[in-house]
Amino acid sequence: MKTGIATVSISGNLEEKIEAIAAAGFTGIEIFEQDFIADIRSPRAVGQRIRDAGLEVMLFQPFRDFEGLPDGLRAKAFDRAERKFDVMQELGCDLVLVCSSVHPQALGGIDRAAADFAELGVRAAARGLRVGYEALAWGRHVNDHRDAWEIVRRADHPSVGLILDSFHTLGRGIDPDTIRRIPGDRIFFVQLADAPAIEMDPLYWSRHFRNMPGEGDLAVTDFMRAVMATGYDGPISLEIFNDQFRGGSPGTIAQDGHRSLIALMDEVRRAEPASSAGIPALPAPIEVRDTAFVEFAAQGSDLIALEQLLESMGFRRAGRHVSKQVTLWQQGDIRFVLNAETGGHAGTAWNARGTTVCDIGLSVGSAPDTVARATALGARPFSQPLGPGELPIPAIRGLGGSVMHFIDDGTLSEVWDVEFRPEDGSTPGAGLTRIDHVAQTMTYDEMLSWSLFYTTLFDMQKAPMVDVVDPDGLVRSRAIASPTGKFRITLNGAETHRTLAGAFLAEGFGGTVQHVALATDDIFATAAALAKTGFAPLDLSPNYFDDLAARFDLEPDMLAQMRAANILYDADGTGEFFQLYSRPFAGQMFLEIVERRGAYAGYGAPNAPFRIAAQKRFQRVKGMPAT
């Protein structure tokens, strides 16, 4: 399977783009003419540089405003085409993209356009070149791939074929199954792009809001299934116009693009097996059964404070590592690992960030399959030297330099018995049962990358993005969850250091887990138990509870309990949601306790402004810098 990406899709100069595209694992490259023109090297030198990087020059694009012009302009269009053919031959590229005309003097008519392409095909064939015709969604006369195909069909020249672009088809709401009627050998090239569902002018939408397959709302998989059903076996490439990507890291964007293509084609292979020969087989998207553990790197006074917090929440120290300064704290199915090692990954993480979540362990059906799928999608495996008594647990690099380990039902499930000596201490607990969700904080620019990371590796669906109002700015949040709800992650993108999330990023030198939410079956019983163990909740404004009484029809006794215990509340048509927060620790980190009633699947977003305001008040009282 040949994979490509247009140079316009990523930031940087042409050299930076070539390096990033090659490093990401693509087979080839589309040369966007503007990138080539801006480069000082000759066409021959550029082509050679691309081949030296292990890439094929798949396509030269775009050639605009060609077909249907009146006589004087028509002659000039053919002259322009000949000049582009000169460049292509020097580059070593045999295919040019001609997009449907938007010229104000262009004349309509299928036969007129077909005649133009028939002649262009003769000229291209004389040079050993090919011409691909693409219907722009905003083309003056041709804006539908069905019309473009009819022009190609009537041109009836072997050097003239169709180029399909998912955005131009799906963005106009055209049924992608209409592609199935086109002979696969007449499709010369396929470009892919996704986009969020936005009502706006198609040209502006296309030029500013395209993103990688899987990052938007278009039915790109259905489009590609239809393409493969034709028997098409040519390149599959990305053409992304996105303002955010233009200012991002070339390497990151290229890696995201390659990941999106591999995941998309794996999905197509599963849905359309009869027509998907040549697509590499991957393990299926991984089902995450639960969060097996969360590991903190912590030392000194922060370690002592974290231990005291866990004790106040009913956790018991269940074990000590057989060879390292690592302890296991447990309650119900929740496991927190506190790592005080000065070396290894935890030591490096602590040196860089101070107290931080350095590792997340996930319970999966097959750890080897998880790592195999992850590495095929571009994730980096992680390993470090094993100490005495340690098991080799498969792992990859995660967000912000953190690590994700995978534990399955085989021998790896015995890690707690093998690596930890049990402790005798016990506590009555506080009714906490499991990890409800993990909240990861990052820059807003990273959110699409990490959403793609999770949804392509795991069997997870993303919820619509929501705005979280911080008194000092806006944070955008997106939840991603497994179908069962056993594994949930919220991705929170900060745009300014003045927000609580932004301050966490600034102080921790990059994104990772900012808080962990713990589930209980009875938050009022849990709050009562915590009151006896010395837990100090986050104090909320009395005005919050007065407002609750006005917004919801709550029983007075329950509202009084919520006020006394600082329990927040939300509800929708499916159920109810209760929240209780710890005070911040180690800077901007905190723990949350939640109870879900009914089928409530949200995260209490309406409460976020009041929780954040309370956290900032606490920090000012404690003498910490206000964000």
Side-chain angles (χ1 to χ4, degrees):
M1 181 178 70
K2 291 186 175 181
T3 58
I5 185 170
T7 56
V8 73
S9 304
I10 60 177
S11 61
N13 58 41
L14 184 57
E15 181 60 29
E16 292 169 324
K17 294 171 189 257
I18 293 169
E19 291 177 358
I21 291 168
F26 286 95
T27 307
I29 191 169
E30 296 180 39
I31 295 291
F32 194 73
E33 186 177 44
Q34 183 174 316
D35 290 317
F36 162 72
I37 293 172
D39 195 88
I40 197 171
R41 290 169 291 191
S42 69
R44 185 177 295 274
V46 168
Q48 189 59 53
R49 172 67 185 96
I50 291 170
R51 286 182 287 277
D52 288 345
L55 298 168
E56 175 186 345
V57 187
M58 292 176 163
L59 182 70
F60 185 70
Q61 61 117 335
F63 186 58
R64 303 183 187 276
D65 296 333
F66 167 70
E67 80 280 9
L69 294 173
D71 288 343
L73 292 175
R74 184 177 187 272
K76 290 182 179 179
F78 278 98
D79 288 343
R80 286 191 294 115
E82 293 285 1
R83 295 289 300 272
K84 301 306 177 188
F85 290 166
D86 292 340
V87 173
M88 290 171 60
Q89 288 184 306
E90 290 291 303
L91 281 169
C93 175
D94 77 336
L95 179 62
V96 63
L97 180 151
V98 180
C99 50
S100 59
S101 180
V102 298
H103 197 286
Q105 296 184 52
L107 305 171
I110 297 291
D111 287 332
R112 179 183 291 107
D116 289 342
F117 276 101
E119 181 175 340
L120 190 63
V122 171
R123 297 190 183 205
R127 294 171 174 248
L129 304 177
R130 298 178 300 148
V131 174
Y133 184 42
E134 174 188 74
L136 292 178
W138 52 91
R140 180 173 174 83
H141 298 291
V142 177
N143 52 33
D144 187 317
H145 68 251
R146 291 168 291 190
D147 292 333
W149 161 236
E150 184 60 20
I151 289 170
V152 169
R153 189 185 70 80
R154 294 191 194 184
D156 193 24
H157 194 285
S159 292
V160 178
L162 184 67
I163 291 181
L164 294 170
D165 185 312
S166 62
F167 180 87
H168 295 307
T169 294
L170 302 173
R172 285 183 52 81
I174 301 169
D175 183 357
D177 277 345
T178 56
I179 294 170
R180 292 175 182 263
R181 297 193 289 267
I182 302 170
D185 62 348
R186 304 305 300 141
I187 302 172
F188 280 4
F189 204 80
V190 173
Q191 295 177 318
L192 297 174
D194 206 338
I198 307 173
E199 291 292 333
M200 64 170 53
D201 172 72
L203 175 57
Y204 193 83
W205 187 24
S206 174
R207 286 291 176 262
H208 300 278
F209 294 99
R210 293 194 189 200
N211 47 33
M212 304 300 180
E215 291 181 337
D217 302 307
L218 301 182
V220 183
T221 301
D222 293 343
F223 172 90
M224 202 61 221
R225 287 182 60 185
V227 169
M228 296 304 292
T230 69
Y232 176 77
D233 62 357
I236 301 158
S237 188
L238 297 169
E239 186 190 42
I240 313 293
F241 299 88
N242 185 292
D243 294 343
Q244 181 179 322
F245 294 176
R246 290 187 181 102
S249 159
T252 298
I253 297 164
Q255 289 166 9
D256 285 351
H258 193 259
R259 173 179 289 131
S260 73
L261 279 185
I262 298 300
L264 171 68
M265 297 311 295
D266 179 61
E267 189 174 354
V268 169
R269 180 182 64 83
R270 295 175 188 283
E272 205 84 20
S275 53
S276 299
I279 299 176
L282 303 181
I286 305 302
E287 175 194 1
V288 180
R289 298 176 177 177
D290 215 338
T291 305
F293 68 87
V294 172
E295 181 172 336
F296 289 86
Q299 299 181 26
S301 60
D302 276 358
L303 174 62
I304 295 171
L306 182 52
E307 290 177 331
Q308 292 172 343
L309 173 61
L310 294 180
E311 286 179 344
S312 76
M313 296 180 73
F315 283 85
R316 68 182 180 92
R317 190 166 59 201
R320 289 184 182 273
H321 197 274
V322 296
S323 63
K324 292 184 175 180
Q325 297 183 69
V326 178
T327 55
L328 171 64
W329 295 73
Q330 190 165 354
Q331 182 174 178
D333 291 328
I334 305 165
R335 292 184 180 90
F336 285 127
V337 177
L338 307 190
N339 193 325
E341 287 287 298
T342 57
H345 170 64
T348 300
W350 188 86
N351 286 332
R353 293 191 170 93
T355 297
T356 185
V357 171
C358 62
D359 196 345
I360 297 175
L362 301 181
S363 174
V364 296
S366 168
D369 280 355
T370 307
V371 172
R373 182 173 177 87
T375 52
L377 293 171
R380 290 184 296 152
F382 170 83
S383 64
Q384 62 182 357
L386 297 177
E390 289 189 299
L391 296 177
I393 305 174
I396 61 171
R397 288 282 182 180
L399 177 63
S402 63
V403 166
M404 300 183 77
H405 276 89
F406 305 111
I407 298 176
D408 58 25
D409 291 335
T411 57
L412 293 179
S413 64
E414 303 170 2
V415 61
W416 312 112
D417 297 328
V418 173
E419 292 196 10
F420 289 86
R421 295 191 180 98
E423 298 252 318
D424 295 331
S426 64
T427 67
L432 303 179
T433 58
R434 55 180 300 276
I435 292 176
D436 182 88
H437 65 274
V438 173
Q440 297 188 315
T441 298
M442 60 208 65
T443 65
Y444 174 66
D445 289 347
E446 294 176 306
M447 285 188 70
L448 283 177
S449 291
W450 285 101
S451 175
L452 188 70
F453 172 84
Y454 285 114
T455 57
T456 55
L457 174 54
F458 302 117
D459 181 13
M460 303 182 76
Q461 290 80 45
K462 59 181 186 290
M465 195 172 294
V466 298
D467 292 339
V468 174
V469 179
D470 184 295
D472 296 299
L474 194 68
V475 175
R476 290 182 170 86
S477 182
R478 163 160 278 162
I480 306 173
S482 64
T484 62
K486 293 292 187 181
F487 179 48
R488 306 173 190 256
I489 288 181
T490 59
L491 307 179
N492 302 304
E495 293 184 312
T496 169
H497 72 280
R498 290 179 55 80
T499 62
L500 191 77
F504 173 75
L505 288 181
E507 293 176 12
F509 302 100
T512 182
V513 174
Q514 187 169 14
H515 88 264
V516 181
L518 312 174
T520 177
D521 294 331
D522 185 342
I523 199 165
F524 295 103
T526 293
L530 294 179
K532 297 177 182 178
T533 56
F535 174 74
L538 181 69
D539 294 317
L540 299 172
S541 166
N543 297 328
Y544 170 78
F545 297 99
D546 294 338
D547 182 64
L548 274 188
R551 290 192 296 122
F552 295 102
D553 185 17
L554 298 172
E555 292 292 331
D557 288 348
M558 187 171 79
L559 183 60
Q561 290 182 69
M562 291 165 61
R563 187 189 298 268
N566 288 285
I567 295 173
L568 298 92
Y569 178 84
D570 189 35
D572 58 20
T574 65
E576 299 175 291
F577 189 60
F578 299 83
Q579 299 169 280
L580 174 61
Y581 287 93
S582 78
R583 295 174 180 177
F585 65 91
Q588 313 285 348
M589 301 178 72
F590 55 96
L591 297 177
E592 177 185 7
I593 299 169
V594 305
E595 181 190 349
R596 298 177 183 273
R597 294 183 182 176
Y600 185 99
Y603 300 82
N607 292 325
F610 316 116
R611 180 261 299 171
I612 294 170
Q615 289 170 320
K616 290 190 171 185
R617 282 195 301 273
F618 175 80
Q619 289 176 333
R620 286 193 291 270
V621 169
K622 295 291 287 184
M624 297 173 64
T627 56

